[in-house]
Amino acid sequence: MNSLDKRLHIVTSFLLCCVPVFLLFTRAVADIAVVLIALIFLARSAMAKDWSWVREKDIFILLLLFALMNVVVSPFAEHVGKSFERSLSWLRFVVFYAAVTRWVLTDARTIKQFVIVLFITLGIAALDAIYQFFTGASLLTGQAMSGRLTGPLDRPNIGMYLSKLGLAALAMAFMLYTNKMSRKLFVVGCCLSPLLLFVVFLSGERAASVLTLLAIVLALFSLFLAGGTARKIAAGLAILGGSALALLLVTSDRIWGRVEALANVVSDYTDSIYGQLVLLGLRFFSENPLTGSGMGNYPLVCKDYTAAALTNVPCHPHPHNFYVEWLSDTGLIGTVPFTIFMTVLYWMGLQTLFGPRESRLLGGLYLGVLVMSLFPFSVTQSLFSNWPAILAWTSIASGVAAIRFFGSKSA
């Protein structure tokens, strides 16, 4: 790196470290940080005349998807203006992902700094959520609990926040440990994990709890694949974790009530609000299978249908399943490329999971990161709107950076 490149790298590294903090307090500023990282990366690429990242498989697919959104999907949307607003602004996530995975998190020092910031931020957020549980209000922001645990957030998403970023941080910490670059950070991550998991399950967020359980199973499976002592550790952790979860269910009527509510939704999914929203999204897709109804058009088309007495489903901003959201908003034109992109990411994880023995836990943690944001059979937030999208792309990009850094050191 030359001196200017180093200064730009320092600025973007600082901004990336700020993103998890901003997400706790102000989504608008977090979005500004994402945009600035993307713009600085583009400026750096132009000055260095280095656009090699554009040709890399995962990024090329995303850029192709961005082009299709704006050339094919948005011009034929039900509400063209809204669609272009979403499809054009989506580029910030593509370039942000490219910047984090190909430039920002590509050296051990920056990765260490980012992991330290994540651990501190996640620990404070988890403790604040516990404080809120006992007192009824967040110490950091004064946010009231109002029946759902939020921590400092203004919405009940503390479980998703802790899980998505916590798994990514642990994956990076283990990668550093495997490459003999930092043993302490992985130990800190292991000590912090029980606190984060406790808050995730205490939050009562059904999607976060179920997806976190699946991520834990993947991590334990990766330990089992590693064999030897790791297999015994996996068995011990499974027994300990299962006992702790059972104790939480037995002692908390609130959590048990959330489990019963989940069971009711699953048993009668098509008649639940989530099932109705998904079916409505699939209906929009069936009427426009190639291009969908347009980016961000789900609530607008729903209102059009309601006005025409074509549906009585309550109009939400999205169908609460991002696969259905892709189908509804972009049709096959958008869904197929994004599915290919996800396949590329999952394949990277499977190669690591079934690769050298020392890398298998990294593969399990990385796949856990993907499951938290990309698992198809789950109630999800929108992958296009700012707060959930920033959280998802930060988590995914961090996991991909860990896999890429490990691969570069073991090559």
Side-chain angles (χ1 to χ4, degrees), residues 255-277:
I255 301 302
W256 182 252
R258 299 296 292 169
V259 173
E260 290 181 327
L262 174 62
N264 291 334
V265 169
V266 173
S267 64
D268 194 19
Y269 182 73
T270 55
D271 289 331
S272 70
I273 182 60
Y274 297 114
Q276 292 177 41
L277 293 172

Side-chain angles (χ1 to χ4, degrees), residues 51-370:
W51 300 95
S52 57
W53 54 272
V54 172
R55 297 189 295 272
E56 298 202 31
K57 190 185 305 180
D58 52 343
I59 299 172
F60 178 80
I61 295 170
L62 291 177
L63 290 172
L64 174 63
L65 178 53
F66 169 73
L68 290 172
M69 285 177 177
N70 290 283
V71 175
V72 181
V73 174
S74 288
F76 300 98
E78 296 288 335
H79 297 268
V80 175
K82 179 63 176 180
S83 187
F84 269 118
E85 176 188 323
R86 278 291 177 89
S87 61
L88 288 171
S89 64
W90 196 73
L91 180 62
R92 71 192 190 279
F93 297 124
V94 177
V95 183
F96 172 76
Y97 168 83
V100 172
T101 59
R102 266 58 176 192
W103 185 45
V104 184
L105 295 182
T106 56
D107 64 279
R109 182 180 178 182
T110 304
I111 294 174
K112 286 180 186 178
Q113 292 171 342
F114 186 49
V115 171
I116 290 171
V117 170
L118 280 175
F119 282 159
I120 293 173
T121 305
L122 294 171
I124 292 174
L127 290 173
D128 185 76
I130 293 175
Y131 179 88
Q132 184 190 52
F133 179 76
F134 286 108
T135 66
S138 163
L139 179 63
L140 294 175
T141 63
Q143 178 69 29
M145 185 173 169
S146 66
R148 296 288 300 277
L149 198 63
T150 68
L153 299 172
D154 62 355
R155 55 178 70 186
N157 291 144
I158 190 65
M160 276 295 188
Y161 176 87
L162 296 178
S163 265
K164 288 185 178 183
L165 293 182
L167 281 164
L170 195 59
M172 288 185 286
F174 178 73
M175 180 275 297
L176 293 170
Y177 170 76
T178 303
N179 283 308
K180 298 181 173 61
M181 294 175 178
S182 176
R183 184 172 182 269
K184 291 180 180 179
L185 278 180
F186 182 60
V187 173
V188 170
C190 291
C191 294
L192 182 62
S193 293
L195 173 65
L196 301 185
L197 290 174
F198 175 71
V199 176
V200 169
F201 294 119
L202 185 67
S203 71
E205 292 174 46
R206 293 173 295 190
S209 299
V210 173
L211 292 177
T212 300
L213 276 177
L214 182 53
I216 291 172
V217 170
L218 286 168
L220 293 177
F221 177 67
S222 65
L223 281 173
F224 183 82
L225 285 180
T229 305
R231 189 168 293 180
K232 297 178 182 178
I233 293 174
L237 289 175
I239 294 172
L240 182 63
S243 301
L245 183 58
L247 180 63
L248 181 63
L249 291 173
V250 170
T251 57
S252 175
D253 292 337
R254 188 174 68 88
I255 301 302
W256 182 252
R258 299 296 292 169
V259 173
E260 290 181 327
L262 174 62
N264 291 334
V265 169
V266 173
S267 64
D268 194 19
Y269 182 73
T270 55
D271 289 331
S272 70
I273 182 60
Y274 297 114
Q276 292 177 41
L277 293 172
V278 164
L279 291 175
L280 185 61
L282 293 175
R283 180 177 174 182
F284 295 163
F285 163 67
S286 68
E287 295 177 1
N288 298 280
L290 286 180
T291 61
S293 59
M295 297 281 290
N297 273 208
Y298 182 89
L300 301 178
V301 177
C302 179
K303 291 178 182 177
D304 293 342
Y305 273 48
T306 301
L310 296 175
T311 182
N312 58 358
V313 176
C315 293
H316 283 230
H318 53 86
H320 288 276
N321 179 287
F322 82 89
Y323 282 88
V324 176
E325 184 178 26
W326 276 103
L327 287 169
S328 171
D329 286 16
T330 69
L332 294 175
I333 294 293
T335 305
V336 171
F338 191 75
T339 302
I340 295 172
F341 168 72
M342 290 188 297
T343 302
V344 170
L345 296 192
Y346 274 111
W347 179 243
M348 290 167 57
L350 290 173
Q351 286 180 309
T352 307
L353 181 64
F354 293 101
R357 178 181 174 185
E358 65 272 12
S359 72
R360 289 174 183 170
L361 178 56
L362 175 59
L365 291 170
Y366 168 78
L367 289 172
V369 169
L370 296 187

